[in-house]
Coordinates of all heavy atoms in Angstrom, one line a residue:
M1 N -43.3 -3.9 -5.8 CA -42.0 -3.6 -5.0 C -40.8 -3.6 -6.0 O -40.0 -2.8 -5.9 CB -41.9 -4.6 -3.9 CG -40.8 -4.3 -3.0 SD -41.3 -2.9 -2.1 CE -40.2 -2.8 -0.8
Q2 N -40.8 -4.6 -6.9 CA -39.7 -4.7 -7.8 C -39.7 -3.5 -8.8 O -38.7 -3.1 -9.3 CB -39.8 -6.0 -8.6 CG -38.5 -6.3 -9.3 CD -38.5 -7.7 -9.9 OE1 -39.5 -8.5 -9.8 NE2 -37.4 -8.2 -10.4
G3 N -40.9 -3.0 -9.2 CA -41.0 -1.9 -10.0 C -40.4 -0.6 -9.4 O -39.8 0.2 -10.1
K4 N -40.6 -0.4 -8.1 CA -40.0 0.7 -7.4 C -38.5 0.6 -7.4 O -37.8 1.6 -7.6 CB -40.5 0.7 -5.9 CG -41.4 1.8 -5.6 CD -41.7 1.8 -4.1 CE -42.6 2.9 -3.8 NZ -42.9 2.9 -2.4
R5 N -38.0 -0.6 -7.2 CA -36.5 -0.8 -7.2 C -36.0 -0.5 -8.6 O -34.9 0.2 -8.7 CB -36.2 -2.2 -6.8 CG -34.7 -2.4 -6.6 CD -34.4 -3.8 -6.1 NE -35.0 -4.1 -4.8 CZ -35.0 -5.2 -4.2 NH1 -34.5 -6.3 -4.8 NH2 -35.6 -5.4 -3.1
L6 N -36.6 -1.0 -9.6 CA -36.2 -0.7 -11.0 C -36.2 0.8 -11.3 O -35.3 1.3 -11.9 CB -37.0 -1.5 -12.0 CG -36.7 -1.4 -13.4 CD1 -35.2 -1.9 -13.7 CD2 -37.6 -2.2 -14.3
A7 N -37.3 1.5 -10.9 CA -37.4 2.9 -11.1 C -36.3 3.7 -10.4 O -35.7 4.6 -10.9 CB -38.8 3.4 -10.7
T8 N -36.0 3.2 -9.2 CA -34.9 3.9 -8.4 C -33.6 3.7 -9.1 O -32.8 4.6 -9.2 CB -34.9 3.3 -7.0 OG1 -36.1 3.5 -6.4 CG2 -33.8 4.0 -6.2
M9 N -33.3 2.5 -9.5 CA -32.0 2.2 -10.2 C -31.9 3.0 -11.5 O -30.9 3.5 -11.9 CB -31.8 0.7 -10.5 CG -31.6 -0.1 -9.2 SD -31.1 -1.8 -9.3 CE -31.6 -2.4 -10.9
L10 N -33.0 3.1 -12.3 CA -33.0 3.8 -13.5 C -32.8 5.3 -13.3 O -32.0 5.9 -14.0 CB -34.3 3.6 -14.3 CG -34.5 4.3 -15.6 CD1 -33.4 3.7 -16.6 CD2 -35.9 4.1 -16.2
A11 N -33.4 5.9 -12.3 CA -33.2 7.3 -11.9 C -31.8 7.5 -11.5 O -31.2 8.5 -11.9 CB -34.2 7.7 -10.8
T12 N -31.2 6.6 -10.7 CA -29.8 6.8 -10.3 C -28.9 6.7 -11.5 O -27.9 7.5 -11.6 CB -29.4 5.6 -9.3 OG1 -30.3 5.7 -8.2 CG2 -28.0 5.8 -8.8
C13 N -29.1 5.8 -12.4 CA -28.2 5.7 -13.6 C -28.4 7.0 -14.5 O -27.4 7.5 -15.0 CB -28.6 4.5 -14.4 SG -28.1 3.0 -13.7
M14 N -29.6 7.5 -14.6 CA -29.8 8.8 -15.4 C -29.0 9.9 -14.7 O -28.4 10.7 -15.4 CB -31.3 9.0 -15.5 CG -32.0 8.1 -16.4 SD -33.7 8.3 -16.5 CE -33.8 10.0 -17.2
L15 N -29.1 10.0 -13.4 CA -28.4 11.1 -12.7 C -26.9 11.0 -12.9 O -26.1 12.0 -13.1 CB -28.7 11.1 -11.2 CG -30.1 11.7 -10.9 CD1 -30.4 11.5 -9.4 CD2 -30.2 13.2 -11.3
A16 N -26.4 9.7 -12.8 CA -24.9 9.5 -13.0 C -24.5 9.9 -14.4 O -23.4 10.4 -14.6 CB -24.6 8.1 -12.6
C17 N -25.3 9.6 -15.4 CA -24.9 9.9 -16.7 C -25.0 11.4 -17.0 O -24.3 11.9 -17.9 CB -25.8 9.1 -17.7 SG -25.5 7.3 -17.7
A18 N -25.9 12.0 -16.3 CA -26.1 13.5 -16.6 C -25.0 14.3 -15.9 O -24.7 15.4 -16.4 CB -27.5 13.9 -16.0
A19 N -24.4 13.8 -14.9 CA -23.3 14.5 -14.3 C -22.1 14.6 -15.2 O -21.8 13.6 -15.9 CB -22.9 13.8 -12.9
G20 N -21.3 15.6 -15.1 CA -20.2 15.8 -16.0 C -19.0 15.0 -15.5 O -19.0 14.4 -14.4
A21 N -18.0 14.8 -16.3 CA -16.8 14.1 -15.9 C -16.1 14.8 -14.8 O -16.0 16.0 -14.8 CB -16.0 13.8 -17.1
A22 N -15.5 14.0 -13.9 CA -14.7 14.6 -12.8 C -13.2 14.5 -13.2 O -12.7 13.5 -13.6 CB -14.9 13.8 -11.6
Y23 N -12.5 15.7 -13.2 CA -11.1 15.7 -13.6 C -10.3 16.1 -12.3 O -10.7 16.9 -11.5 CB -10.9 16.8 -14.6 CG -11.6 16.5 -15.9 CD1 -12.8 17.1 -16.3 CD2 -11.1 15.6 -16.8 CE1 -13.4 16.8 -17.5 CE2 -11.7 15.2 -18.0 CZ -12.9 15.9 -18.3 OH -13.5 15.6 -19.5
A24 N -9.2 15.4 -12.2 CA -8.3 15.6 -11.1 C -7.5 16.9 -11.4 O -7.2 17.2 -12.5 CB -7.3 14.4 -10.9
Q25 N -7.1 17.6 -10.3 CA -6.4 18.8 -10.5 C -4.9 18.4 -10.8 O -4.3 17.6 -10.1 CB -6.4 19.6 -9.2 CG -5.6 20.8 -9.2 CD -5.6 21.5 -7.8 OE1 -6.1 20.9 -6.8 NE2 -5.0 22.6 -7.7
K26 N -4.4 19.0 -11.8 CA -2.9 18.8 -12.1 C -2.2 20.1 -11.8 O -2.5 21.1 -12.3 CB -2.8 18.5 -13.6 CG -1.3 18.2 -13.9 CD -1.2 17.8 -15.4 CE 0.3 17.5 -15.7 NZ 0.5 17.2 -17.0
A27 N -1.3 20.0 -10.8 CA -0.6 21.1 -10.3 C 0.9 20.9 -10.4 O 1.5 20.4 -9.5 CB -1.0 21.5 -8.9
K28 N 1.5 21.1 -11.6 CA 3.0 21.0 -11.7 C 3.6 19.7 -11.3 O 4.5 19.7 -10.5 CB 3.6 22.2 -11.0 CG 3.2 23.6 -11.6 CD 3.9 24.7 -10.9 CE 3.4 26.0 -11.4 NZ 3.9 27.1 -10.7
N29 N 3.0 18.6 -11.7 CA 3.5 17.3 -11.4 C 3.6 17.0 -9.9 O 4.5 16.4 -9.4 CB 4.9 17.0 -12.0 CG 4.8 17.1 -13.5 OD1 3.8 16.7 -14.1 ND2 5.8 17.6 -14.2
T30 N 2.6 17.4 -9.1 CA 2.6 17.2 -7.7 C 1.6 16.1 -7.4 O 0.4 16.2 -7.8 CB 2.2 18.5 -7.0 OG1 3.1 19.5 -7.3 CG2 2.1 18.3 -5.5
L31 N 2.0 15.1 -6.6 CA 1.1 14.1 -6.2 C 0.5 14.5 -4.8 O 1.2 14.8 -3.9 CB 1.8 12.8 -6.0 CG 1.0 11.6 -5.5 CD1 -0.1 11.2 -6.4 CD2 1.9 10.4 -5.2
R32 N -0.8 14.5 -4.8 CA -1.5 14.9 -3.5 C -2.3 13.7 -3.0 O -3.1 13.1 -3.8 CB -2.4 16.0 -3.7 CG -1.7 17.3 -4.1 CD -2.6 18.4 -4.4 NE -1.9 19.5 -5.0 CZ -2.1 20.7 -4.8 NH1 -3.0 21.1 -3.9 NH2 -1.4 21.7 -5.4
I33 N -2.1 13.3 -1.8 CA -2.8 12.1 -1.2 C -3.6 12.6 0.0 O -3.0 13.2 0.9 CB -1.8 11.0 -0.9 CG1 -1.0 10.6 -2.1 CG2 -2.5 9.9 -0.2 CD1 0.1 9.6 -1.8
G34 N -4.8 12.3 0.1 CA -5.6 12.6 1.2 C -5.5 11.5 2.3 O -5.7 10.3 2.0
L35 N -5.3 11.9 3.5 CA -5.2 10.9 4.6 C -6.3 11.2 5.6 O -6.7 12.3 5.8 CB -3.8 11.0 5.2 CG -2.6 10.7 4.3 CD1 -1.3 11.0 5.1 CD2 -2.7 9.3 3.8
V36 N -6.7 10.1 6.4 CA -7.7 10.3 7.4 C -7.1 10.9 8.6 O -7.7 11.8 9.2 CB -8.2 8.9 7.8 CG1 -9.2 9.0 8.9 CG2 -8.9 8.2 6.6
E37 N -5.9 10.6 9.0 CA -5.2 11.1 10.2 C -3.8 11.6 9.8 O -3.2 11.1 8.8 CB -5.0 10.1 11.3 CG -6.3 9.5 11.8 CD -6.1 8.5 12.9 OE1 -4.9 8.3 13.3 OE2 -7.1 7.8 13.2
P38 N -3.3 12.6 10.4 CA -1.9 13.1 10.1 C -0.9 12.0 10.5 O -1.1 11.3 11.5 CB -1.7 14.4 10.9 CG -2.8 14.3 12.0 CD -3.9 13.4 11.5
I39 N 0.2 12.0 9.8 CA 1.3 11.0 10.1 C 2.2 11.6 11.1 O 2.8 12.7 10.9 CB 2.0 10.6 8.9 CG1 1.1 9.9 7.9 CG2 3.2 9.7 9.2 CD1 1.7 9.5 6.6
S40 N 2.4 11.0 12.3 CA 3.2 11.6 13.4 C 4.6 11.1 13.3 O 5.6 11.7 13.7 CB 2.6 11.2 14.7 OG 2.6 9.8 14.9
S41 N 4.9 9.9 12.7 CA 6.2 9.3 12.6 C 6.2 8.4 11.3 O 5.3 7.8 10.9 CB 6.5 8.5 13.8 OG 7.7 7.8 13.6
M42 N 7.4 8.4 10.7 CA 7.5 7.6 9.5 C 8.1 6.2 9.8 O 8.3 5.4 8.9 CB 8.5 8.2 8.5 CG 7.9 9.5 7.9 SD 6.3 9.2 7.1 CE 6.8 8.2 5.7
I43 N 8.2 5.9 11.1 CA 8.7 4.6 11.5 C 7.5 3.8 11.9 O 6.7 4.2 12.7 CB 9.7 4.7 12.7 CG1 10.9 5.6 12.3 CG2 10.1 3.4 13.3 CD1 11.8 5.9 13.5
L44 N 7.4 2.6 11.3 CA 6.2 1.8 11.4 C 5.9 1.4 12.9 O 4.8 1.2 13.3 CB 6.3 0.6 10.5 CG 5.1 -0.3 10.4 CD1 3.9 0.5 9.8 CD2 5.4 -1.5 9.5
Y45 N 7.0 1.2 13.7 CA 6.8 0.8 15.1 C 6.2 1.9 15.9 O 5.6 1.6 16.9 CB 8.1 0.2 15.6 CG 8.6 -0.9 14.8 CD1 9.8 -0.8 14.1 CD2 8.0 -2.2 14.9 CE1 10.2 -1.9 13.3 CE2 8.4 -3.2 14.1 CZ 9.6 -3.1 13.4 OH 10.0 -4.1 12.6
D46 N 6.5 3.1 15.6 CA 6.0 4.3 16.3 C 4.5 4.5 16.0 O 3.8 5.0 16.9 CB 6.8 5.5 16.1 CG 8.2 5.4 16.6 OD1 8.4 4.6 17.5 OD2 9.1 6.2 16.2
G47 N 4.1 4.4 14.8 CA 2.8 4.6 14.4 C 2.2 3.5 13.5 O 2.4 3.6 12.3
P48 N 1.7 2.5 14.0 CA 1.2 1.3 13.2 C -0.1 1.6 12.4 O -0.9 0.7 12.5 CB 1.1 0.2 14.2 CG 0.7 0.9 15.5 CD 1.4 2.2 15.4
N49 N -0.2 2.7 11.8 CA -1.4 3.0 11.0 C -1.1 2.5 9.6 O 0.0 2.5 9.1 CB -1.7 4.5 11.0 CG -2.0 5.0 12.4 OD1 -2.5 4.3 13.2 ND2 -1.7 6.3 12.6
P50 N -2.2 2.2 8.8 CA -2.0 1.8 7.4 C -1.2 2.9 6.6 O -0.4 2.6 5.7 CB -3.4 1.6 6.9 CG -4.2 1.4 8.1 CD -3.6 2.2 9.2
E51 N -1.5 4.2 6.9 CA -0.8 5.2 6.1 C 0.7 5.2 6.4 O 1.5 5.4 5.5 CB -1.4 6.6 6.5 CG -2.8 6.8 6.2 CD -3.8 6.3 7.2 OE1 -3.4 5.8 8.3 OE2 -5.0 6.4 7.0
V52 N 1.1 5.0 7.6 CA 2.5 4.9 7.9 C 3.2 3.8 7.2 O 4.3 3.9 6.7 CB 2.7 4.8 9.5 CG1 4.2 4.6 9.8 CG2 2.2 6.0 10.2
G53 N 2.5 2.6 7.2 CA 3.1 1.5 6.5 C 3.2 1.7 5.0 O 4.2 1.4 4.4
M54 N 2.2 2.4 4.4 CA 2.3 2.7 3.0 C 3.5 3.6 2.7 O 4.2 3.4 1.7 CB 1.0 3.4 2.6 CG 0.9 3.8 1.1 SD -0.6 4.6 0.7 CE -0.6 6.1 1.6
F55 N 3.8 4.6 3.5 CA 4.9 5.5 3.2 C 6.2 5.0 3.6 O 7.2 5.2 3.0 CB 4.6 6.9 3.9 CG 3.6 7.7 3.2 CD1 2.3 7.9 3.8 CD2 3.8 8.2 1.9 CE1 1.3 8.6 3.2 CE2 2.8 8.9 1.3 CZ 1.6 9.1 1.9
S56 N 6.3 4.2 4.7 CA 7.6 3.7 5.2 C 8.1 2.7 4.3 O 9.3 2.6 4.1 CB 7.4 3.2 6.7 OG 6.7 2.0 6.7
R57 N 7.3 1.9 3.6 CA 7.8 0.9 2.7 C 8.4 1.6 1.5 O 9.3 1.0 0.8 CB 6.6 0.0 2.2 CG 6.3 -1.1 3.2 CD 5.4 -2.2 2.7 NE 4.1 -1.6 2.4 CZ 3.1 -1.5 3.3 NH1 3.3 -2.0 4.5 NH2 1.9 -1.1 3.0
G58 N 8.0 2.8 1.2 CA 8.5 3.5 0.1 C 9.8 4.2 0.4 O 10.6 4.6 -0.4
L59 N 10.1 4.4 1.7 CA 11.3 5.1 2.2 C 12.4 4.2 2.7 O 13.6 4.5 2.4 CB 11.0 6.0 3.3 CG 10.1 7.2 3.0 CD1 9.7 8.0 4.3 CD2 10.8 8.1 2.0
F60 N 12.1 3.1 3.3 CA 13.1 2.2 3.9 C 13.1 0.9 3.2 O 12.1 0.3 3.0 CB 12.7 2.0 5.4 CG 12.6 3.3 6.2 CD1 11.4 3.6 6.7 CD2 13.7 4.1 6.4 CE1 11.2 4.8 7.4 CE2 13.6 5.2 7.2 CZ 12.4 5.6 7.7
D61 N 14.3 0.5 2.9 CA 14.5 -0.8 2.2 C 14.8 -1.9 3.2 O 15.6 -1.7 4.1 CB 15.6 -0.8 1.2 CG 15.2 0.0 0.0 OD1 14.0 0.1 -0.4 OD2 16.1 0.6 -0.7
P62 N 14.3 -3.1 3.1 CA 14.6 -4.2 4.0 C 16.0 -4.8 3.6 O 16.5 -4.7 2.5 CB 13.5 -5.2 3.8 CG 13.0 -4.9 2.4 CD 13.2 -3.5 2.2
L63 N 16.5 -5.6 4.5 CA 17.8 -6.3 4.3 C 17.6 -7.4 3.2 O 18.4 -7.6 2.3 CB 18.4 -6.9 5.5 CG 18.8 -5.9 6.6 CD1 19.3 -6.6 7.8 CD2 20.0 -5.1 6.0
L64 N 16.5 -8.1 3.3 CA 16.1 -9.2 2.4 C 14.8 -8.9 1.8 O 14.0 -8.2 2.4 CB 16.1 -10.5 3.1 CG 17.4 -10.9 3.9 CD1 17.1 -12.2 4.6 CD2 18.5 -11.1 2.9
C65 N 14.5 -9.5 0.7 CA 13.2 -9.5 0.1 C 12.8 -10.9 -0.4 O 13.7 -11.7 -0.6 CB 13.1 -8.5 -1.1 SG 14.2 -8.9 -2.4
F66 N 11.5 -11.2 -0.5 CA 11.1 -12.5 -0.8 C 10.8 -12.5 -2.3 O 10.0 -11.7 -2.8 CB 9.8 -12.9 0.0 CG 9.4 -14.3 -0.3 CD1 10.0 -15.3 0.3 CD2 8.3 -14.5 -1.1 CE1 9.6 -16.6 0.1 CE2 7.8 -15.8 -1.3 CZ 8.5 -16.9 -0.7
D67 N 11.4 -13.4 -3.1 CA 11.2 -13.5 -4.5 C 10.0 -14.5 -4.7 O 10.1 -15.7 -4.5 CB 12.4 -14.0 -5.2 CG 12.4 -14.0 -6.7 OD1 11.3 -13.6 -7.2 OD2 13.4 -14.3 -7.4
N68 N 8.9 -13.9 -5.2 CA 7.7 -14.8 -5.4 C 7.9 -15.8 -6.5 O 7.3 -16.9 -6.5 CB 6.5 -13.9 -5.8 CG 6.0 -13.1 -4.6 OD1 6.1 -13.6 -3.5 ND2 5.5 -11.9 -4.8
R69 N 8.8 -15.5 -7.5 CA 9.0 -16.5 -8.6 C 9.7 -17.7 -8.1 O 9.4 -18.8 -8.5 CB 9.7 -15.8 -9.7 CG 8.9 -14.8 -10.5 CD 9.6 -14.2 -11.6 NE 10.4 -13.1 -10.9 CZ 11.6 -12.7 -11.3 NH1 12.2 -13.1 -12.4 NH2 12.2 -11.7 -10.7
T70 N 10.8 -17.5 -7.3 CA 11.6 -18.7 -6.9 C 11.1 -19.2 -5.5 O 11.4 -20.4 -5.2 CB 13.1 -18.2 -6.7 OG1 13.2 -17.2 -5.7 CG2 13.6 -17.8 -8.1
G71 N 10.4 -18.4 -4.8 CA 9.9 -18.9 -3.5 C 11.0 -18.8 -2.4 O 10.9 -19.5 -1.4
K72 N 12.1 -18.0 -2.7 CA 13.2 -17.9 -1.7 C 13.5 -16.5 -1.4 O 13.0 -15.6 -2.1 CB 14.4 -18.5 -2.4 CG 14.3 -20.0 -2.6 CD 15.6 -20.6 -3.2 CE 15.4 -22.1 -3.5 NZ 16.6 -22.6 -4.0
F73 N 14.3 -16.2 -0.4 CA 14.7 -14.9 0.0 C 15.8 -14.5 -0.9 O 16.7 -15.3 -1.2 CB 15.1 -14.8 1.5 CG 13.9 -14.9 2.4 CD1 13.6 -16.0 3.0 CD2 13.1 -13.8 2.6 CE1 12.5 -16.1 3.9 CE2 12.1 -13.8 3.5 CZ 11.7 -15.0 4.1
A74 N 15.9 -13.2 -1.3 CA 16.9 -12.7 -2.1 C 17.5 -11.5 -1.4 O 16.8 -10.8 -0.6 CB 16.4 -12.3 -3.5
P75 N 18.8 -11.1 -1.7 CA 19.4 -10.0 -1.0 C 18.8 -8.7 -1.5 O 18.4 -8.5 -2.7 CB 20.8 -10.1 -1.4 CG 20.9 -10.9 -2.6 CD 19.7 -11.8 -2.5
N76 N 18.6 -7.7 -0.7 CA 18.1 -6.4 -1.0 C 19.2 -5.4 -0.6 O 19.9 -4.9 -1.5 CB 16.8 -6.1 -0.4 CG 16.1 -4.9 -1.1 OD1 16.4 -4.6 -2.2 ND2 15.2 -4.3 -0.4
L77 N 19.4 -5.1 0.7 CA 20.5 -4.3 1.2 C 21.6 -5.2 1.7 O 22.8 -4.8 1.6 CB 20.0 -3.4 2.3 CG 19.1 -2.3 1.9 CD1 18.7 -1.5 3.1 CD2 19.8 -1.3 0.9
A78 N 21.3 -6.4 2.2 CA 22.3 -7.3 2.7 C 23.1 -7.9 1.6 O 22.6 -8.3 0.5 CB 21.7 -8.4 3.5
S79 N 24.4 -8.0 1.7 CA 25.2 -8.7 0.7 C 25.3 -10.2 1.0 O 25.5 -11.0 0.0 CB 26.6 -8.1 0.7 OG 27.2 -8.2 1.9
S80 N 25.2 -10.6 2.2 CA 25.2 -12.1 2.5 C 24.6 -12.3 3.9 O 24.5 -11.4 4.7 CB 26.7 -12.6 2.5 OG 27.4 -12.0 3.6
W81 N 24.2 -13.5 4.1 CA 23.6 -13.9 5.4 C 23.7 -15.4 5.5 O 23.9 -16.1 4.5 CB 22.2 -13.4 5.6 CG 21.2 -14.1 4.6 CD1 20.5 -15.2 4.8 CD2 20.9 -13.7 3.3 NE1 19.8 -15.6 3.7 CE2 20.0 -14.6 2.8 CE3 21.3 -12.6 2.5 CZ2 19.5 -14.5 1.5 CZ3 20.8 -12.5 1.2 CH2 19.9 -13.5 0.7
K82 N 23.6 -15.9 6.7 CA 23.5 -17.4 6.9 C 22.5 -17.7 8.0 O 22.2 -16.9 8.9 CB 24.9 -17.9 7.3 CG 25.4 -17.4 8.7 CD 26.8 -18.0 9.0 CE 27.2 -17.4 10.3 NZ 28.5 -17.9 10.7
W83 N 21.9 -18.9 7.9 CA 21.0 -19.4 8.8 C 21.7 -19.9 10.0 O 22.6 -20.8 9.9 CB 20.1 -20.5 8.2 CG 19.2 -20.1 7.1 CD1 19.5 -20.0 5.8 CD2 17.9 -19.6 7.3 NE1 18.4 -19.6 5.1 CE2 17.4 -19.3 6.0 CE3 17.1 -19.5 8.4 CZ2 16.1 -18.9 5.8 CZ3 15.8 -19.0 8.2 CH2 15.3 -18.7 6.9
L84 N 21.3 -19.4 11.2 CA 21.9 -19.9 12.5 C 21.1 -21.1 13.0 O 21.7 -22.1 13.4 CB 21.9 -18.8 13.5 CG 22.8 -17.6 13.2 CD1 22.7 -16.6 14.3 CD2 24.2 -18.1 13.0
D85 N 19.8 -21.0 12.9 CA 18.9 -22.1 13.2 C 17.6 -21.9 12.4 O 17.6 -21.1 11.5 CB 18.6 -22.3 14.7 CG 18.2 -21.0 15.3 OD1 17.4 -20.2 14.7 OD2 18.5 -20.7 16.5
D86 N 16.5 -22.6 12.7 CA 15.3 -22.5 12.0 C 14.7 -21.1 12.1 O 13.8 -20.8 11.2 CB 14.3 -23.5 12.4 CG 14.7 -24.9 12.0 OD1 15.5 -25.0 11.1 OD2 14.2 -25.9 12.6
Q87 N 15.0 -20.3 13.1 CA 14.4 -19.0 13.3 C 15.3 -17.8 13.3 O 14.9 -16.7 13.5 CB 13.6 -19.1 14.6 CG 12.5 -20.1 14.6 CD 11.8 -20.2 16.0 OE1 12.2 -19.5 16.9 NE2 10.8 -21.0 16.0
S88 N 16.6 -18.0 13.1 CA 17.6 -16.9 13.2 C 18.5 -16.9 12.0 O 18.9 -17.9 11.5 CB 18.4 -17.1 14.4 OG 17.6 -17.3 15.6
W89 N 18.8 -15.6 11.6 CA 19.8 -15.4 10.6 C 20.9 -14.5 11.2 O 20.8 -13.8 12.2 CB 19.2 -14.5 9.4 CG 18.2 -15.2 8.6 CD1 18.0 -16.5 8.4 CD2 17.2 -14.5 7.9 NE1 16.9 -16.7 7.6 CE2 16.4 -15.5 7.2 CE3 16.9 -13.2 7.6 CZ2 15.4 -15.2 6.4 CZ3 15.8 -12.9 6.8 CH2 15.1 -13.9 6.2
S90 N 22.1 -14.6 10.5 CA 23.2 -13.8 11.0 C 23.8 -13.2 9.7 O 23.8 -13.7 8.7 CB 24.2 -14.6 11.7 OG 25.4 -13.9 11.9

C-alpha cells in the first residue's frame, strides 16, 4: 500500500516538473482580479461579501484607526474626538 502511495506521489511530482512555467498576462499595467460573484454595491452594509469588504477598505477611510504599535486609536480622517462613556465617542 505504501509503495502505491509513493509511486503516485513520484508520478505527480514528475508531471508537475514536466509542465512549463505559468506566466501571468501583462496588459499595459492593468490589474485583473477574478471574483466568484459580481459586486453589486461598494458599501459594505449593502453587500457583506468578502469581495465587497476587500474593495471598500481600499476606497473608504475610517475616522479612526488602531495603531498596533502603541495599542491605541489614532486619528485618520477625524482631527479630534472625546470619550463620552465606555462605549461612545463624540
Side-chain angles (χ1 to χ4, degrees):
M1 192 67 167
Q2 193 169 7
K4 251 186 176 179
R5 186 178 298 172
L6 181 62
T8 303
M9 287 188 342
L10 182 61
T12 304
C13 289
M14 288 175 63
L15 284 173
C17 290
Y23 295 103
Q25 175 187 9
K26 183 176 180 184
K28 299 181 183 176
N29 296 326
T30 301
L31 175 65
R32 297 175 190 220
I33 300 173
L35 301 175
V36 176
E37 296 178 10
I39 295 176
S40 59
S41 173
M42 292 305 293
I43 299 173
L44 189 58
Y45 300 109
D46 290 341
N49 298 332
E51 294 88 0
V52 175
M54 178 177 67
F55 288 109
S56 67
R57 281 190 295 274
L59 293 174
F60 303 113
D61 288 332
L63 293 174
L64 304 175
C65 61
F66 186 75
D67 188 356
N68 288 328
R69 287 177 282 150
T70 63
K72 296 181 179 180
F73 287 100
N76 197 23
L77 290 178
S79 57
S80 65
W81 68 90
K82 64 180 178 178
W83 289 92
L84 297 178
D85 54 38
D86 289 341
Q87 299 178 353
S88 304
W89 293 336
S90 170

